[in-house]
Amino acid sequence: GEDVEQSLFLSVREGDSSVINCTYTDSSSTYLYWYKQEPGAGLQLLTYIFSNMDMKQDQRLTVLLNKKDKHLSLRIADTQTGDSAIYFCAERNTDKLIFGTGTRLQVFP
Amino acid sequence: GAVVSQHPSWVICKSGTSVKIECRSLDFQATTMFWYRQFPKQSLMLMATSNEGSKATYEQGVEKDKFLINHASLTLSTLTVTSAHPEDSSFYICSARTVYGTDTQYFGPGTRLTVL
């Protein structure tokens, strides 16, 4: 089956790093994505990684992919209050995106 | 670039009426658009895949006669919820996929539908 799992909630102090984890089951996924959703809004693409890569860094964001364990993580450095949102990982399966359950990140001062 | 709009942002309607939601790619052409549904505090569930000029492909369990999808041009897809009922109340989000590059999906801001 196609299951993408995430922890439900993460709380961090402003300025610390946040690490959001995701596990997926489809080893044939070509791309894996991270999206951010603020309350009442659509999804904003943050970053993506191709399945033959181990790591990708984009400013404050670092994506790590462990294909053997089917584990994906998103690290946000110097987390700010504006980073508070729900973060979804997604795997691309042929034409479709399969979304994770979402992780609510709360940043406190 | 890669902006997707949806209209309306929110809509309240009476049970039994039909509601049309538009999804537009504003600055790129999208041969494929996707329609998702999101219940409160839940993930996105794909309803259907819409290809320009052809019939939409619906996911298992989604009634095609209830959720009518039209993708008449490379920049516009519409979702019509027919004979809406309170259980259709949800957040509907569309996405559009570019025809080049990494085929990334870009998402609209969503439409909140409330059926009374």
Side-chain angles (χ1 to χ4, degrees):
Chain A
E2 303 159 341
D3 284 321
V4 184
E5 299 286 338
Q6 296 178 241
S7 52
L8 289 178
F9 189 77
L10 176 65
S11 180
V12 299
R13 189 181 300 276
E14 190 175 18
D16 288 350
S17 293
S18 308
V19 179
I20 302 171
N21 294 301
C22 171
T23 57
Y24 61 98
T25 56
D26 188 353
S27 57
S28 64
S29 298
T30 51
Y31 288 94
L32 295 127
Y33 302 84
W34 283 103
Y35 286 89
K36 176 184 179 182
Q37 185 180 35
E38 299 190 47
L43 271 67
Q44 174 194 352
L45 176 65
L46 289 177
T47 187
Y48 63 90
I49 188 168
F50 189 50
S51 59
N52 68 354
M53 297 169 65
D54 298 324
M55 186 185 88
K56 179 178 180 181
Q57 187 157 359
D58 185 359
Q59 299 182 329
R60 290 193 297 126
L61 306 178
T62 303
V63 178
L64 295 178
L65 175 60
N66 182 328
K67 200 171 179 182
K68 174 177 171 287
D69 294 337
K70 299 190 188 72
H71 183 265
L72 180 74
S73 68
L74 173 69
R75 179 176 179 270
I76 305 173
D78 188 24
T79 313
Q80 302 297 307
T81 54
D83 295 324
S84 295
I86 300 176
Y87 291 79
F88 290 97
C89 64
E91 60 173 345
R92 182 173 165 192
N93 179 302
T94 58
D95 231 21
K96 308 175 193 177
L97 287 182
I98 310 298
F99 282 89
T101 45
T103 299
R104 181 177 295 275
L105 173 65
Q106 182 175 8
V107 183
F108 58 93
Chain B
V3 178
V4 177
S5 71
Q6 279 185 243
H7 178 80
S9 301
W10 56 271
V11 56
I12 301 173
C13 69
K14 291 183 179 179
S15 193
T17 59
S18 294
V19 174
K20 180 186 281 189
I21 302 170
E22 292 186 350
C23 176
R24 292 181 186 271
S25 56
L26 298 185
D27 52 0
F28 66 98
Q29 293 184 327
T31 53
T32 305
M33 289 183 171
F34 302 84
W35 286 97
Y36 295 85
R37 184 172 181 177
Q38 185 181 32
F39 290 105
K41 298 185 179 179
Q42 293 190 25
S43 189
L44 280 73
M45 303 221 22
L46 179 65
M47 299 174 65
T49 302
S50 165
N51 289 297
E52 184 262 339
S54 62
K55 290 184 179 180
T57 303
Y58 290 81
E59 294 300 299
Q60 193 171 5
V62 178
E63 299 175 59
K64 61 181 180 182
D65 293 331
K66 179 163 186 64
F67 298 99
L68 300 179
I69 291 172
N70 183 278
H71 192 160
S73 77
L74 285 172
T75 59
L76 173 64
S77 176
T78 60
L79 167 69
T80 301
V81 183
T82 61
S83 186
H85 289 281
E87 58 265 31
D88 299 323
S89 298
S90 189
F91 195 52
Y92 292 87
I93 306 177
C94 74
S95 71
R97 190 173 70 188
T98 59
V99 300
Y100 48 84
T102 60
D103 292 344
T104 300
Q105 289 186 34
Y106 295 93
F107 285 79
T111 296
R112 182 160 303 283
L113 170 64
T114 301
V115 184
L116 302 177

Tab-separated table of all heavy atoms in Angstrom, chain A residues 31 33 35 37 40-45 48 86 88 92 94-97 99-102 104, chain B residues 32 34 36 38 41-44 46 49 59 91 93 97 102-110:
chain	number	residue	atom	x	y	z
A	31	TYR	N	10.327	11.436	-6.893
A	31	TYR	CA	10.566	12.684	-6.188
A	31	TYR	C	9.855	12.651	-4.841
A	31	TYR	O	8.793	12.044	-4.703
A	31	TYR	CB	10.010	13.883	-6.980
A	31	TYR	CG	10.791	14.231	-8.219
A	31	TYR	CD1	10.416	13.725	-9.461
A	31	TYR	CD2	11.899	15.073	-8.153
A	31	TYR	CE1	11.128	14.046	-10.601
A	31	TYR	CE2	12.615	15.402	-9.296
A	31	TYR	CZ	12.229	14.887	-10.507
A	31	TYR	OH	12.938	15.206	-11.634
A	33	TYR	N	8.692	15.455	-1.720
A	33	TYR	CA	8.451	16.886	-1.567
A	33	TYR	C	8.158	17.242	-0.108
A	33	TYR	O	7.677	16.417	0.667
A	33	TYR	CB	7.229	17.303	-2.402
A	33	TYR	CG	7.328	17.020	-3.878
A	33	TYR	CD1	7.011	15.770	-4.399
A	33	TYR	CD2	7.711	18.018	-4.766
A	33	TYR	CE1	7.097	15.517	-5.751
A	33	TYR	CE2	7.787	17.775	-6.128
A	33	TYR	CZ	7.472	16.523	-6.612
A	33	TYR	OH	7.553	16.277	-7.959
A	35	TYR	N	5.894	20.335	1.663
A	35	TYR	CA	4.983	21.450	1.496
A	35	TYR	C	4.653	22.036	2.864
A	35	TYR	O	4.626	21.337	3.872
A	35	TYR	CB	3.671	20.998	0.835
A	35	TYR	CG	3.755	20.699	-0.639
A	35	TYR	CD1	4.079	19.422	-1.098
A	35	TYR	CD2	3.505	21.692	-1.578
A	35	TYR	CE1	4.148	19.144	-2.451
A	35	TYR	CE2	3.561	21.422	-2.945
A	35	TYR	CZ	3.887	20.147	-3.363
A	35	TYR	OH	3.951	19.885	-4.712
A	37	GLN	N	1.695	24.380	4.924
A	37	GLN	CA	0.328	24.883	4.860
A	37	GLN	C	0.052	25.731	6.084
A	37	GLN	O	0.109	25.249	7.215
A	37	GLN	CB	-0.699	23.739	4.776
A	37	GLN	CG	-2.120	24.238	4.580
A	37	GLN	CD	-3.136	23.125	4.493
A	37	GLN	OE1	-3.021	22.101	5.142
A	37	GLN	NE2	-4.158	23.313	3.654
A	40	GLY	N	-5.975	27.833	6.900
A	40	GLY	CA	-6.929	28.294	5.901
A	40	GLY	C	-6.345	28.552	4.534
A	40	GLY	O	-7.009	29.173	3.689
A	41	ALA	N	-5.160	28.092	4.283
A	41	ALA	CA	-4.500	28.382	3.002
A	41	ALA	C	-4.154	27.095	2.263
A	41	ALA	O	-4.262	25.996	2.809
A	41	ALA	CB	-3.231	29.204	3.250
A	42	GLY	N	-3.733	27.256	1.020
A	42	GLY	CA	-3.296	26.117	0.235
A	42	GLY	C	-1.899	25.699	0.622
A	42	GLY	O	-1.372	26.108	1.668
A	43	LEU	N	-1.299	24.872	-0.205
A	43	LEU	CA	0.025	24.344	0.095
A	43	LEU	C	1.101	25.122	-0.656
A	43	LEU	O	0.973	25.395	-1.841
A	43	LEU	CB	0.114	22.866	-0.299
A	43	LEU	CG	-0.302	21.879	0.771
A	43	LEU	CD1	-1.780	21.979	1.057
A	43	LEU	CD2	0.064	20.466	0.371
A	44	GLN	N	2.164	25.403	0.061
A	44	GLN	CA	3.302	26.103	-0.528
A	44	GLN	C	4.453	25.109	-0.656
A	44	GLN	O	4.861	24.483	0.337
A	44	GLN	CB	3.716	27.266	0.380
A	44	GLN	CG	4.978	27.983	-0.044
A	44	GLN	CD	5.523	28.892	1.045
A	44	GLN	OE1	4.872	29.099	2.077
A	44	GLN	NE2	6.702	29.425	0.842
A	45	LEU	N	4.951	24.948	-1.870
A	45	LEU	CA	6.088	24.048	-2.073
A	45	LEU	C	7.325	24.655	-1.430
A	45	LEU	O	7.713	25.777	-1.735
A	45	LEU	CB	6.341	23.833	-3.564
A	45	LEU	CG	7.566	22.994	-3.914
A	45	LEU	CD1	7.395	21.564	-3.425
A	45	LEU	CD2	7.820	23.012	-5.410
A	48	TYR	N	12.105	20.022	-2.740
A	48	TYR	CA	11.908	18.643	-3.160
A	48	TYR	C	13.277	18.009	-3.326
A	48	TYR	O	14.298	18.697	-3.407
A	48	TYR	CB	11.122	18.571	-4.470
A	48	TYR	CG	11.831	19.211	-5.640
A	48	TYR	CD1	12.684	18.471	-6.450
A	48	TYR	CD2	11.648	20.566	-5.920
A	48	TYR	CE1	13.353	19.061	-7.505
A	48	TYR	CE2	12.312	21.159	-6.970
A	48	TYR	CZ	13.161	20.405	-7.767
A	48	TYR	OH	13.816	20.995	-8.801
A	86	ILE	N	1.605	23.751	9.280
A	86	ILE	CA	1.590	22.296	9.120
A	86	ILE	C	2.484	21.953	7.936
A	86	ILE	O	2.405	22.589	6.883
A	86	ILE	CB	0.164	21.770	8.880
A	86	ILE	CG1	-0.723	22.118	10.066
A	86	ILE	CG2	0.191	20.250	8.669
A	86	ILE	CD1	-2.179	21.715	9.872
A	88	PHE	N	3.744	19.048	5.281
A	88	PHE	CA	3.396	17.767	4.669
A	88	PHE	C	4.556	17.284	3.813
A	88	PHE	O	5.084	18.038	3.002
A	88	PHE	CB	2.181	17.914	3.756
A	88	PHE	CG	0.890	18.171	4.465
A	88	PHE	CD1	0.410	19.466	4.606
A	88	PHE	CD2	0.148	17.122	4.981
A	88	PHE	CE1	-0.788	19.706	5.265
A	88	PHE	CE2	-1.064	17.354	5.631
A	88	PHE	CZ	-1.530	18.649	5.776
A	92	ARG	N	6.021	11.114	-4.849
A	92	ARG	CA	5.399	11.084	-6.161
A	92	ARG	C	5.366	9.647	-6.654
A	92	ARG	O	6.405	8.997	-6.757
A	92	ARG	CB	6.168	11.954	-7.153
A	92	ARG	CG	5.481	11.958	-8.502
A	92	ARG	CD	6.097	12.911	-9.442
A	92	ARG	NE	5.644	12.633	-10.795
A	92	ARG	CZ	6.181	13.157	-11.872
A	92	ARG	NH1	7.198	13.986	-11.759
A	92	ARG	NH2	5.718	12.862	-13.051
A	94	THR	N	4.080	7.667	-9.792
A	94	THR	CA	3.689	7.899	-11.191
A	94	THR	C	3.174	9.322	-11.330
A	94	THR	O	3.909	10.269	-11.195
A	94	THR	CB	2.663	6.864	-11.692
A	94	THR	OG1	1.509	6.907	-10.867
A	94	THR	CG2	3.247	5.472	-11.655
A	95	ASP	N	1.880	9.466	-11.546
A	95	ASP	CA	1.303	10.782	-11.786
A	95	ASP	C	0.844	11.484	-10.515
A	95	ASP	O	0.533	12.661	-10.529
A	95	ASP	CB	0.066	10.591	-12.682
A	95	ASP	CG	0.116	11.506	-13.866
A	95	ASP	OD1	1.206	11.970	-14.211
A	95	ASP	OD2	-0.956	11.745	-14.444
A	96	LYS	N	0.789	10.753	-9.415
A	96	LYS	CA	0.107	11.288	-8.246
A	96	LYS	C	1.073	11.648	-7.127
A	96	LYS	O	2.172	11.111	-7.040
A	96	LYS	CB	-0.852	10.237	-7.687
A	96	LYS	CG	-1.808	9.631	-8.663
A	96	LYS	CD	-2.587	8.529	-7.964
A	96	LYS	CE	-3.314	7.680	-8.959
A	96	LYS	NZ	-4.018	6.567	-8.292
A	97	LEU	N	0.600	12.542	-6.270
A	97	LEU	CA	1.299	12.814	-5.018
A	97	LEU	C	0.540	12.119	-3.892
A	97	LEU	O	-0.661	12.267	-3.773
A	97	LEU	CB	1.350	14.316	-4.741
A	97	LEU	CG	2.296	15.161	-5.575
A	97	LEU	CD1	2.236	16.613	-5.122
A	97	LEU	CD2	3.713	14.639	-5.499
A	99	PHE	N	0.286	12.168	0.032
A	99	PHE	CA	0.673	13.060	1.114
A	99	PHE	C	0.760	12.331	2.444
A	99	PHE	O	0.014	11.394	2.719
A	99	PHE	CB	-0.338	14.206	1.238
A	99	PHE	CG	-0.152	15.255	0.202
A	99	PHE	CD1	-0.794	15.158	-1.016
A	99	PHE	CD2	0.676	16.334	0.432
A	99	PHE	CE1	-0.610	16.110	-2.000
A	99	PHE	CE2	0.864	17.302	-0.542
A	99	PHE	CZ	0.224	17.183	-1.758
A	100	GLY	N	1.661	12.822	3.268
A	100	GLY	CA	1.732	12.351	4.630
A	100	GLY	C	0.616	12.954	5.454
A	100	GLY	O	-0.187	13.759	4.986
A	101	THR	N	0.595	12.563	6.694
A	101	THR	CA	-0.470	12.968	7.602
A	101	THR	C	-0.307	14.398	8.102
A	101	THR	O	-1.236	14.962	8.655
A	101	THR	CB	-0.516	12.018	8.805
A	101	THR	OG1	0.835	11.802	9.265
A	101	THR	CG2	-1.090	10.674	8.401
A	102	GLY	N	0.867	14.971	7.888
A	102	GLY	CA	1.091	16.357	8.298
A	102	GLY	C	1.652	16.464	9.712
A	102	GLY	O	1.234	15.738	10.603
A	104	ARG	N	2.283	19.354	12.642
A	104	ARG	CA	2.032	20.734	13.056
A	104	ARG	C	3.239	21.222	13.841
A	104	ARG	O	3.573	20.674	14.897
A	104	ARG	CB	0.780	20.824	13.918
A	104	ARG	CG	0.443	22.251	14.363
A	104	ARG	CD	-0.858	22.295	15.162
A	104	ARG	NE	-1.999	21.917	14.345
A	104	ARG	CZ	-2.666	22.746	13.563
A	104	ARG	NH1	-2.330	24.014	13.493
A	104	ARG	NH2	-3.705	22.307	12.862
B	32	THR	N	-2.009	19.140	-16.855
B	32	THR	CA	-2.662	18.312	-15.845
B	32	THR	C	-2.961	19.130	-14.595
B	32	THR	O	-2.095	19.870	-14.117
B	32	THR	CB	-1.776	17.111	-15.446
B	32	THR	OG1	-1.427	16.378	-16.616
B	32	THR	CG2	-2.521	16.188	-14.483
B	34	PHE	N	-4.993	18.716	-10.682
B	34	PHE	CA	-5.433	17.743	-9.706
B	34	PHE	C	-6.399	18.405	-8.720
B	34	PHE	O	-6.227	19.572	-8.372
B	34	PHE	CB	-4.236	17.188	-8.910
B	34	PHE	CG	-3.177	16.535	-9.757
B	34	PHE	CD1	-2.190	17.302	-10.356
B	34	PHE	CD2	-3.169	15.168	-9.955
B	34	PHE	CE1	-1.202	16.722	-11.145
B	34	PHE	CE2	-2.192	14.573	-10.740
B	34	PHE	CZ	-1.205	15.348	-11.330
B	36	TYR	N	-8.045	17.991	-4.907
B	36	TYR	CA	-7.898	17.339	-3.609
B	36	TYR	C	-8.998	17.814	-2.675
B	36	TYR	O	-9.562	18.907	-2.820
B	36	TYR	CB	-6.548	17.694	-2.967
B	36	TYR	CG	-5.337	17.209	-3.697
B	36	TYR	CD1	-4.783	17.940	-4.746
B	36	TYR	CD2	-4.700	16.024	-3.320
B	36	TYR	CE1	-3.655	17.503	-5.408
B	36	TYR	CE2	-3.556	15.589	-3.978
B	36	TYR	CZ	-3.044	16.332	-5.015
B	36	TYR	OH	-1.916	15.897	-5.658
B	38	GLN	N	-9.682	18.147	1.594
B	38	GLN	CA	-9.023	18.095	2.886
B	38	GLN	C	-10.042	18.339	3.985
B	38	GLN	O	-10.677	19.397	4.032
B	38	GLN	CB	-7.905	19.141	2.973
B	38	GLN	CG	-7.089	19.057	4.253
B	38	GLN	CD	-6.000	20.114	4.318
B	38	GLN	OE1	-6.154	21.211	3.804
B	38	GLN	NE2	-4.891	19.787	4.976
B	41	LYS	N	-7.957	19.176	9.966
B	41	LYS	CA	-6.844	18.528	10.662
B	41	LYS	C	-6.467	17.196	10.032
B	41	LYS	O	-5.932	16.310	10.707
B	41	LYS	CB	-7.155	18.352	12.148
B	41	LYS	CG	-7.371	19.680	12.866
B	41	LYS	CD	-7.562	19.513	14.352
B	41	LYS	CE	-7.745	20.877	15.002
B	41	LYS	NZ	-7.952	20.783	16.466
B	42	GLN	N	-6.730	17.064	8.757
B	42	GLN	CA	-6.340	15.841	8.058
B	42	GLN	C	-5.506	16.177	6.837
B	42	GLN	O	-5.327	17.338	6.475
B	42	GLN	CB	-7.582	15.050	7.652
B	42	GLN	CG	-8.351	14.489	8.830
B	42	GLN	CD	-9.418	13.516	8.396
B	42	GLN	OE1	-9.339	12.903	7.342
B	42	GLN	NE2	-10.436	13.371	9.219
B	43	SER	N	-5.006	15.148	6.221
B	43	SER	CA	-4.158	15.339	5.058
B	43	SER	C	-5.019	15.554	3.811
B	43	SER	O	-6.245	15.511	3.863
B	43	SER	CB	-3.258	14.121	4.882
B	43	SER	OG	-2.297	14.371	3.894
B	44	LEU	N	-4.348	15.770	2.699
B	44	LEU	CA	-5.047	15.946	1.424
B	44	LEU	C	-5.326	14.579	0.815
B	44	LEU	O	-4.462	13.697	0.809
B	44	LEU	CB	-4.200	16.735	0.444
B	44	LEU	CG	-4.186	18.240	0.605
B	44	LEU	CD1	-3.379	18.643	1.806
B	44	LEU	CD2	-3.644	18.910	-0.653
B	46	LEU	N	-6.474	12.877	-2.758
B	46	LEU	CA	-6.671	13.122	-4.174
B	46	LEU	C	-8.049	12.629	-4.589
B	46	LEU	O	-8.424	11.493	-4.295
B	46	LEU	CB	-5.586	12.409	-4.985
B	46	LEU	CG	-5.662	12.558	-6.501
B	46	LEU	CD1	-5.447	14.010	-6.909
B	46	LEU	CD2	-4.640	11.660	-7.188
B	49	THR	N	-7.753	13.371	-11.252
B	49	THR	CA	-6.710	13.956	-12.094
B	49	THR	C	-7.356	14.409	-13.380
B	49	THR	O	-8.092	13.634	-14.025
B	49	THR	CB	-5.624	12.913	-12.400
B	49	THR	OG1	-5.082	12.438	-11.175
B	49	THR	CG2	-4.525	13.518	-13.255
B	59	GLU	N	-10.369	8.963	-8.468
B	59	GLU	CA	-9.850	7.983	-7.518
B	59	GLU	C	-10.992	7.090	-7.030
B	59	GLU	O	-12.174	7.454	-7.102
B	59	GLU	CB	-9.204	8.691	-6.335
B	59	GLU	CG	-7.956	9.467	-6.707
B	59	GLU	CD	-6.876	8.589	-7.299
B	59	GLU	OE1	-6.411	7.657	-6.606
B	59	GLU	OE2	-6.479	8.837	-8.455
B	91	PHE	N	-12.641	21.441	2.538
B	91	PHE	CA	-11.699	22.368	1.904
B	91	PHE	C	-11.230	21.681	0.625
B	91	PHE	O	-10.673	20.584	0.675
B	91	PHE	CB	-10.543	22.625	2.876
B	91	PHE	CG	-9.672	23.797	2.541
B	91	PHE	CD1	-10.224	25.045	2.305
B	91	PHE	CD2	-8.297	23.672	2.498
B	91	PHE	CE1	-9.426	26.136	2.007
B	91	PHE	CE2	-7.486	24.764	2.218
B	91	PHE	CZ	-8.038	25.998	1.978
B	93	ILE	N	-8.889	21.768	-2.680
B	93	ILE	CA	-7.655	22.385	-3.165
B	93	ILE	C	-7.311	21.798	-4.528
B	93	ILE	O	-7.365	20.579	-4.715
B	93	ILE	CB	-6.474	22.126	-2.204
B	93	ILE	CG1	-6.817	22.565	-0.782
B	93	ILE	CG2	-5.219	22.833	-2.678
B	93	ILE	CD1	-5.707	22.266	0.219
B	97	ARG	N	0.133	21.129	-12.685
B	97	ARG	CA	1.480	20.627	-12.930
B	97	ARG	C	2.023	21.228	-14.212
B	97	ARG	O	1.329	21.259	-15.224
B	97	ARG	CB	1.464	19.101	-13.029
B	97	ARG	CG	2.851	18.479	-13.037
B	97	ARG	CD	2.761	16.983	-12.968
B	97	ARG	NE	2.235	16.427	-14.201
B	97	ARG	CZ	1.910	15.149	-14.352
B	97	ARG	NH1	2.028	14.327	-13.322
B	97	ARG	NH2	1.457	14.699	-15.495
B	102	THR	N	10.590	19.509	-13.568
B	102	THR	CA	10.407	18.407	-12.637
B	102	THR	C	8.955	18.002	-12.478
B	102	THR	O	8.634	17.210	-11.611
B	102	THR	CB	10.949	18.788	-11.252
B	102	THR	OG1	10.223	19.945	-10.798
B	102	THR	CG2	12.434	19.111	-11.309
B	103	ASP	N	8.054	18.543	-13.282
B	103	ASP	CA	6.634	18.220	-13.168
B	103	ASP	C	6.099	18.495	-11.774
B	103	ASP	O	5.232	17.782	-11.288
B	103	ASP	CB	6.389	16.746	-13.519
B	103	ASP	CG	6.633	16.480	-14.989
B	103	ASP	OD1	6.692	17.448	-15.756
B	103	ASP	OD2	6.767	15.310	-15.363
B	104	THR	N	6.611	19.512	-11.156
B	104	THR	CA	6.165	19.847	-9.803
B	104	THR	C	4.739	20.344	-9.822
B	104	THR	O	4.325	21.055	-10.734
B	104	THR	CB	7.092	20.931	-9.225
B	104	THR	OG1	8.422	20.408	-9.188
B	104	THR	CG2	6.664	21.333	-7.828
B	105	GLN	N	3.989	19.965	-8.793
B	105	GLN	CA	2.629	20.463	-8.648
B	105	GLN	C	2.639	21.736	-7.811
B	105	GLN	O	3.241	21.783	-6.738
B	105	GLN	CB	1.746	19.417	-7.956
B	105	GLN	CG	1.431	18.211	-8.814
B	105	GLN	CD	0.441	17.285	-8.145
B	105	GLN	OE1	-0.452	17.706	-7.422
B	105	GLN	NE2	0.606	15.992	-8.398
B	106	TYR	N	1.940	22.739	-8.318
B	106	TYR	CA	1.769	23.984	-7.587
B	106	TYR	C	0.318	24.104	-7.177
B	106	TYR	O	-0.584	23.887	-7.994
B	106	TYR	CB	2.209	25.164	-8.447
B	106	TYR	CG	3.688	25.121	-8.737
B	106	TYR	CD1	4.172	24.515	-9.891
B	106	TYR	CD2	4.607	25.651	-7.837
B	106	TYR	CE1	5.536	24.450	-10.146
B	106	TYR	CE2	5.965	25.591	-8.083
B	106	TYR	CZ	6.422	24.989	-9.239
B	106	TYR	OH	7.772	24.917	-9.476
B	107	PHE	N	0.111	24.480	-5.930
B	107	PHE	CA	-1.222	24.415	-5.350
B	107	PHE	C	-1.920	25.762	-5.299
B	107	PHE	O	-1.290	26.809	-5.096
B	107	PHE	CB	-1.149	23.828	-3.929
B	107	PHE	CG	-0.933	22.345	-3.932
B	107	PHE	CD1	0.324	21.821	-4.153
B	107	PHE	CD2	-1.993	21.485	-3.738
B	107	PHE	CE1	0.525	20.448	-4.185
B	107	PHE	CE2	-1.809	20.113	-3.766
B	107	PHE	CZ	-0.542	19.599	-3.986
B	108	GLY	N	-3.236	25.706	-5.464
B	108	GLY	CA	-4.059	26.879	-5.266
B	108	GLY	C	-4.283	27.119	-3.786
B	108	GLY	O	-3.930	26.280	-2.943
B	109	PRO	N	-4.900	28.247	-3.441
B	109	PRO	CA	-5.114	28.608	-2.037
B	109	PRO	C	-6.265	27.854	-1.372
B	109	PRO	O	-6.451	27.971	-0.178
B	109	PRO	CB	-5.401	30.106	-2.096
B	109	PRO	CG	-5.961	30.318	-3.451
B	109	PRO	CD	-5.295	29.326	-4.351
B	110	GLY	N	-7.028	27.120	-2.171
B	110	GLY	CA	-8.119	26.337	-1.603
B	110	GLY	C	-9.448	27.071	-1.604
B	110	GLY	O	-9.510	28.305	-1.642
